[in-house]
Amino acid sequence: MNTDLLILVAIVGLGTWAMRALPLRLPFFSGRPGGAMSRFLAATGPAALAALTAASFLPLATPDVAVLGPTLVGSAAVVGGHFATRDMAAAALVGAVAYGITVWLIGV
Amino acid sequence: MPRPSSAPPASFRHGARTSLPITLGYFPVGISFGIAASRAGLSVFEATFVSMAIYAGASQFLALTLLTGGAPVIVSALSVLAMNLRHVLYGPAIMEKAGPGAPIRYSWAWAGWLSDGGFGAAYVGLQRPGARFSERWMFGIGMGPYLAWCSGTAVGALVGTGPIEAWPAVDAALGFLMPALFLAMLLSVLSRVHLPAIAAGLLVSLAGTLTVSATFGIVMGMVAGALVGVAGWGQGRDTDRFDLDGGVH
C-alpha cells in the first residue's frame, strides 16, 4: 500500500474517531440540566440537521431546469411524504422516486 | 423523554431498524466513493481500507483530491480533520437528548460510527415518543450505515459505473437519496421550540457555504443554531409540534 496513503488514513482515521468519541468523556460537555451547555447541546441537533440539509441541497439549486425541476418536485414529495406517513424512510423514498421520475420525464 | 435506566434497554435490532434509511442511502454514496478512489489509482483493498478507517464521506473525497494533487501528507491530514470538526458535537448532543445517567461505557466503540447520517438517525430516534437510549441501540444505529458505506466502496471500486450508466433516472434518484434523507430528518425534528435554532442553522449554513465552503457553512450553522438555543429563543414550548394543518399538538 502507498505509504503516504497509509499515513494519511492513520492520522485522519484516529483523529476522526477521537473527535467523535472523546467529547463523550469530557466533563466540559456535561453541564447541569437547563444550564447554558445543556441548552447549547439541545439546540445543536436540530441546527446540525438544518445545516446538513442546506449544504446538501445547495449544489442542486441551479438555474438549470433539468436539475432544479427534479429537485423541487423531489423536495415537495419529501414534504408530502413526511406529512402523509410521519416516517423519514418513506418520505425520503417517495422524494427520491419523484426525483427520478422527473429526471426521466425531462429526459424524454 | 428518553429513559436510559428505568425501562428495558432499546435493542440492537431496533437501532438497526431506526437507521435503515441511512443504511440504504449510504450504499450508493459508498459506490460513488469507490468509483472515485478507483479512478484516483487506489486498489479495491485500498479504497475499502480508507472507508473502513475514516468513515466520513465528504472528507474522504477531499483526502483523495489532496493526495492525488500531491499535497504534503500532514497538510492533507489537517485539512481533512478540519472538515470533520463538526463531529465533536454529535456525541454530546445525543447524550443531552438521551438524558442524565445515559450509559457511555462502550462509547469508545459506537461513537466511531457517528457519521452525519448516524447522528441524524440517532437524534431523530430519540425524538420519538417513548424513545429509550441504550448502548446496544447505538451499536444498532451505527453498524448498518458503516457496513453499507464500506461495502458500497468495495462494490464501486470493483464494478465501476457500468451497470448504472444505462439507467440515468435511477442513478439520479439514488443521488438525491441523501439530500432527501436530511430533509426528512429535519422535518422529523421540526417543532416550535426548535424553529429558531433550525432557522439560524439554515441561514448561517447557506451564507457560510456560499461565501467560504460547505464545511465552514455546516460548522457555523451548527454553532449559530446552538447559540440561539443558549439564548433561550423558543424555550418553554417543548411540547409544541407542527401539525399537518399548521396547528400544534
Side-chain angles (χ1 to χ4, degrees), chain B residues 75-118:
Chain B
V75 174
S76 302
L78 292 177
S79 305
V80 177
L81 282 174
M83 196 172 188
N84 291 342
L85 263 180
R86 65 187 183 278
H87 294 176
V88 168
L89 291 174
Y90 284 174
I94 286 174
M95 299 319 290
E96 170 67 25
K97 194 75 184 162
I104 55 166
R105 186 177 176 187
Y106 299 107
S107 61
W108 58 269
W110 55 255
W113 288 337
L114 282 180
S115 60
D116 294 331

Side-chain angles (χ1 to χ4, degrees), chain A residues 30-39, chain B residues 96 99-100:
Chain A
S30 48
R32 65 181 174 80
M37 181 52 73
S38 174
R39 292 202 305 276
Chain B
E96 170 67 25

Side-chain angles (χ1 to χ4, degrees), chain B residues 3-98:
Chain B
R3 292 163 288 161
S5 58
S6 61
S11 67
F12 176 91
R13 190 186 299 179
H14 182 228
R17 258 203 318 268
T18 302
S19 65
L20 185 60
I22 308 299
T23 301
L24 298 176
Y26 269 16
F27 188 73
V29 189
I31 290 177
S32 303
F33 177 73
I35 292 166
S38 177
R39 285 178 181 162
L42 271 62
S43 67
V44 176
F45 172 76
E46 287 173 331
T48 311
F49 174 69
V50 170
S51 280
M52 288 173 70
I54 298 179
Y55 185 43
S59 63
Q60 289 182 210
F61 284 96
L62 176 66
L64 274 186
T65 307
L66 291 170
L67 207 62
T68 53
V73 173
I74 297 299
V75 174
S76 302
L78 292 177
S79 305
V80 177
L81 282 174
M83 196 172 188
N84 291 342
L85 263 180
R86 65 187 183 278
H87 294 176
V88 168
L89 291 174
Y90 284 174
I94 286 174
M95 299 319 290
E96 170 67 25
K97 194 75 184 162

Side-chain angles (χ1 to χ4, degrees), chain B residues 124-203:
Chain B
V124 170
L126 289 171
Q127 180 87 0
R128 289 175 184 155
R132 285 172 286 126
F133 176 91
S134 78
E135 294 199 279
R136 279 183 201 169
W137 184 76
M138 284 305 298
F139 276 113
I141 288 274
M143 187 177 284
Y146 178 73
L147 293 179
W149 176 253
C150 296
S151 58
T153 300
V155 169
L158 200 62
V159 180
T161 53
I164 202 76
E165 271 178 351
W167 306 88
V170 175
D171 188 27
L174 290 174
F176 187 69
L177 203 48
M178 284 314 295
L181 275 168
F182 283 125
L183 178 59
M185 288 194 282
L186 181 63
L187 289 168
S188 297
V189 301
L190 190 61
S191 65
R192 286 197 193 281
V193 69
H194 289 145
L195 194 57
I198 288 172
L202 277 173
L203 292 174

Side-chain angles (χ1 to χ4, degrees), chain A:
Chain A
M1 181 180 284
N2 181 321
T3 309
D4 282 356
L5 176 70
L6 192 61
I7 295 171
L8 178 72
V9 170
I11 295 173
V12 175
L14 274 173
T16 303
W17 171 84
M19 282 194 271
R20 288 169 175 168
L22 297 186
L24 288 162
R25 307 273 174 181
L26 297 178
F28 173 76
F29 285 112
S30 48
R32 65 181 174 80
M37 181 52 73
S38 174
R39 292 202 305 276
F40 181 89
L41 292 174
T44 295
L49 288 173
L52 289 165
T53 304
S56 65
F57 269 89
L58 211 50
L60 302 170
T62 73
D64 182 359
V65 73
V67 177
L68 191 59
T71 301
L72 291 175
V73 172
S75 304
V78 172
V79 174
H82 167 76
F83 284 118
T85 66
R86 298 282 176 184
D87 182 281
M88 70 169 174
L93 192 62
V94 167
V97 169
Y99 185 95
I101 290 173
T102 313
V103 167
W104 179 69
L105 288 173
I106 289 176
V108 172

